[in-house]
Amino acid sequence: MSNLFVELKTPITGPYKQPTGLFINNEFVEGVEKKTFEVINPSTEEVICSVHEATEKDVDIAVAAARKAFEGEWRRVTPQQRGVLLLKLADLAEKNLDLLAAVESLDNGKSITMARGDVAAVVGCIRYYGGWADKIEGRTIDINPDMFSYTRREPIGVCGQIIPWNFPLLMLAWKIGPALATGNTVVLKTAEQTPLSALVFAQFVKEAGFPPGVLNIISGFGRTAGAALSSHMDVDKIAFTGSTIVGRTIMKAAASSNLKKVTLELGGKSPNIVFNDADIEEAISWVNFGIYYNHGQCCCAGSRIYVQEGIYDKFVEAFKKRAEQNKVGDPFHPETFQGPQVSQLQYDRIMGYIQSGKEQGARVVTGGNRHGDKGYFIQPTIFADVRQDMTIMQEEIFGPVCAIAKFSTVEEAIKLGNDTSYGLAASVHTKDLNTAIRVSNGLRAGTVWVNCHNILNHALPFGGFKTSGIGRELGELALANYTENKSVAVNMAGKLF
Ligand code: NAD
């Protein structure tokens, strides 16, 4: 086996061949500078393997491959054929669901049950955009009896896509689905913490029959490969998911290079608002899922919980019992709900927030410590009686930590819910239809869930108000982020008028 593949095994799949190279032009290659970096198993803190690292020169090569494909073979592929290719890719991902999910659990630490759900969502998302490929339509618009005018929706060109580590494969699917359906080509950079599943997936891109250069997948760091991609003069659009701070850097890079189009899906501090009349058991299940799903590493995690005063004490007590039942541990155990945080850095950041909550006087209801003595595991943590100005109520923690506070009226709930620079998501728990709609309308967030949380679907647009982002992913709206509108006006009179 060359150094572009390594034999690995997972507890549920047995040995498999893990690609480690940069996937450019449908082949795995080494980086120009021959650098590699280690990938860590967050459950054991041991090295899984090393992968090849893209530097600026590799970004240039990948972008050139994407440009050549965009202006060559890919342009001649019909929309129907693009759809068929995406459907084949989805079929291959589905056929290999167990392997992809196992690699995701190994590398990211998410429970195998959740990882299987992620891969099923990847399949659904790619299939959904496969269905859109031949439904990208313009309009005819009458402006004058002597003119024939119409709009066309054309691909933007070469798209750079930078994704995070919390849903490595699902973020890839959200990005490549609309980009490829609309006829763009792509250079996608995975997060340095979790490059493995995307490299396994890359093999299916070639097997499905995509022409070389249409989808290139590179592993590398943000400050080198990510910065090179977002400031590249031959990249027409950059799409990013990750922290708000890096989102700002990417916008600046786009602005000071070729003014490439930018879409951003950034952080959040989503409120979960529970009214006195809510079905308390159901509300607790959703609040629990809202914050602890994916170990709190969700941009839409319901990390601020506002509970109406009539049920506050009862809610906190019952939620404590529920959170303590969440099984934390080995991601490959079928009953595990919460695995480790993704990295030492994230572990340290989260423990720092827990410390700040304690120091600022919030009440620890449960958790607040490390779980076990190996791996980046953190106990599900609840802080109650949290003041609005405390750091844990204001900043995105991105871990299994939530802050609870009390409110009395509908107006106060809306005011508290909106008291953040973010605006990604929110949820409302009530049996009263009027309250549900009044609060949903009042909240400045891209998604509002009523009597649920973290319900995402490829058909429903997702994205943020305020500092949570620019543009929308998923659904039909995502297609607009990957197309340019061209207005064509034909003078049928054949003379100056
Ligand atoms: P990050 O924003 O630094 O990393 C996300 C992606 O951006 C990675 O692929 C990274 O390599 C790349 N990147 C980093 N710096 C870059 C740069 N200068 N130019 C171009 N690309 C760059 O996130 P992180 O450090 O891994 O996590 C920090 C915090 O970000 C988390 O604690 C969490 O609050 C937030 N976060 C949000 C999401 C989300 O889904 N919105 C995902 C991951 C992290």
Side-chain angles (χ1 to χ4, degrees):
M1 204 178 289
S2 78
N3 71 342
L4 294 169
F5 293 88
V6 60
E7 189 170 287
L8 293 181
K9 56 175 188 268
T10 77
I12 58 165
T13 57
Y16 78 98
K17 213 167 87 173
Q18 171 67 53
T20 58
L22 311 175
F23 184 73
I24 300 176
N25 262 329
N26 277 2
E27 302 298 337
F28 290 105
V29 294
E30 293 181 341
V32 174
E33 295 182 26
K34 312 259 184 262
K35 287 187 175 176
T36 59
F37 64 93
E38 290 179 339
V39 183
I40 308 293
N41 178 339
S43 304
T44 61
E45 305 180 38
E46 286 160 9
V47 176
I48 303 173
C49 65
S50 290
V51 296
H52 292 267
E53 178 189 340
T55 60
E56 198 176 333
K57 291 174 192 148
D58 303 299
V59 170
D60 284 343
I61 293 170
V63 170
R67 174 62 59 196
K68 187 160 173 243
F70 181 70
E71 286 174 0
E73 206 176 338
W74 190 231
R75 188 152 272 197
R76 291 185 292 278
V77 173
T78 65
Q80 288 83 352
Q81 288 167 331
R82 289 202 303 261
V84 169
L85 286 170
L86 281 165
L87 295 180
K88 278 192 192 154
L89 185 58
D91 287 347
L92 286 166
E94 189 169 52
K95 207 171 123 197
N96 292 280
L97 188 145
D98 283 339
L99 173 64
L100 289 168
V103 175
E104 201 76 314
S105 285
L106 184 74
D107 194 4
N108 165 282
K110 65 176 69 200
S111 80
I112 188 65
T113 319
M114 306 286 169
R116 285 202 175 100
D118 281 12
V119 182
V122 166
V123 172
C125 178
I126 296 175
R127 243 173 224 155
Y128 172 79
Y129 283 108
W132 267 114
D134 60 0
K135 298 167 194 71
I136 316 291
E137 297 169 347
R139 300 168 67 185
T140 57
I141 302 172
D142 243 349
I143 55 168
N144 178 320
D146 284 330
M147 301 284 297
F148 169 49
S149 29
Y150 59 96
T151 61
R152 285 169 52 79
R153 289 171 69 192
E154 299 185 357
I156 296 178
V158 175
C159 299
Q161 303 185 321
I162 300 177
I163 58 169
W165 40 260
N166 52 345
F167 292 91
L169 267 183
L170 190 58
M171 290 303 100
L172 173 145
W174 286 21
K175 295 273 181 291
I176 66 164
L180 298 180
T182 47
N184 298 278
T185 57
V186 169
V187 177
L188 178 137
K189 189 194 86 61
T190 51
E192 53 271 34
Q193 298 84 350
T194 53
L196 299 186
S197 56
L199 294 175
V200 174
F201 179 89
Q203 301 172 107
F204 310 140
V205 173
K206 183 172 182 180
E207 196 179 336
F210 281 88
V214 170
L215 174 55
N216 308 279
I217 300 176
I218 57 176
S219 317
F221 293 88
R223 281 182 193 198
T224 49
L229 199 54
S230 50
S231 59
H232 205 288
M233 292 300 283
D234 204 27
V235 169
D236 302 297
K237 185 228 161 79
I238 188 94
F240 169 75
T241 297
S243 61
T244 298
I245 187 158
V246 172
R248 288 181 199 275
T249 309
I250 283 175
M251 258 197 118
K252 281 187 203 144
S256 54
S257 54
N258 59 345
L259 263 185
K260 54 180 67 67
K261 315 277 178 265
V262 179
T263 43
L264 303 173
E265 205 265 274
L266 308 174
K269 190 75 185 167
S270 300
N272 226 313
I273 301 172
V274 187
F275 283 88
N276 286 338
D277 70 343
D279 178 326
I280 196 157
E281 280 309 313
E282 281 299 316
I284 283 167
S285 292
W286 284 110
V287 166
N288 185 64
F289 184 68
I291 180 60
Y292 298 122
Y293 168 58
N294 209 39
H295 330 162
Q297 301 171 143
C298 290
C299 46
C300 48
S303 51
R304 292 185 294 143
I305 300 158
Y306 297 109
V307 183
Q308 204 165 16
E309 54 198 0
I311 55 163
Y312 184 83
D313 293 333
K314 187 172 159 202
F315 179 94
V316 172
E317 197 44 41
F319 180 30
K320 171 184 187 305
K321 288 206 185 95
R322 182 69 186 74
E324 286 170 355
Q325 284 163 20
N326 292 339
K327 188 166 164 27
V328 183
D330 175 10
F332 285 99
H333 191 289
E335 279 166 25
T336 294
F337 176 69
Q338 184 183 311
Q341 307 309 127
V342 77
S343 65
Q344 180 74 53
L345 182 64
Q346 283 305 114
Y347 173 88
D348 291 341
R349 278 180 182 152
I350 297 161
M351 291 309 286
Y353 278 114
I354 291 177
Q355 188 57 26
S356 97
K358 290 175 179 170
E359 282 167 10
Q360 291 178 4
R363 170 161 66 95
V364 180
V365 175
T366 188
N369 293 304
R370 177 187 196 110
H371 170 93
D373 53 13
K374 192 178 63 166
Y376 312 126
F377 295 91
I378 297 179
Q379 295 174 337
T381 298
I382 302 176
F383 281 102
D385 311 337
V386 182
R387 285 197 323 270
Q388 198 58 23
D389 64 345
M390 288 182 185
T391 311
I392 55 168
M393 193 58 114
Q394 289 296 325
E395 294 184 13
E396 183 175 46
I397 298 176
F398 227 64
V401 181
C402 62
I404 312 187
K406 204 182 277 186
F407 73 92
S408 51
T409 64
V410 167
E411 291 69 29
E412 191 190 358
I414 295 172
K415 188 160 175 277
L416 287 168
N418 286 334
D419 184 21
T420 168
S421 60
Y422 294 114
L424 192 57
S427 62
V428 188
H429 303 268
T430 175
K431 287 196 195 113
D432 185 305
L433 189 59
N434 292 343
T435 306
I437 295 174
R438 272 173 71 199
V439 177
S440 307
N441 288 353
L443 289 168
R444 307 259 306 141
T447 294
V448 181
W449 290 293
V450 177
N451 295 327
C452 56
H453 198 96
N454 280 343
I455 297 298
L456 299 168
N457 185 280
H458 46 251
L460 205 57
F462 181 75
F465 282 33
K466 303 199 274 181
T467 62
S468 288
I470 297 178
R472 291 292 179 273
E473 300 202 277
L474 303 180
E476 187 181 356
L477 280 186
L479 302 170
N481 293 326
Y482 285 97
T483 47
E484 292 275 26
N485 183 82
K486 181 179 281 176
S487 298
V488 182
V490 182
N491 177 3
M492 297 182 298
K495 58 180 185 317
L496 205 63
F497 49 77

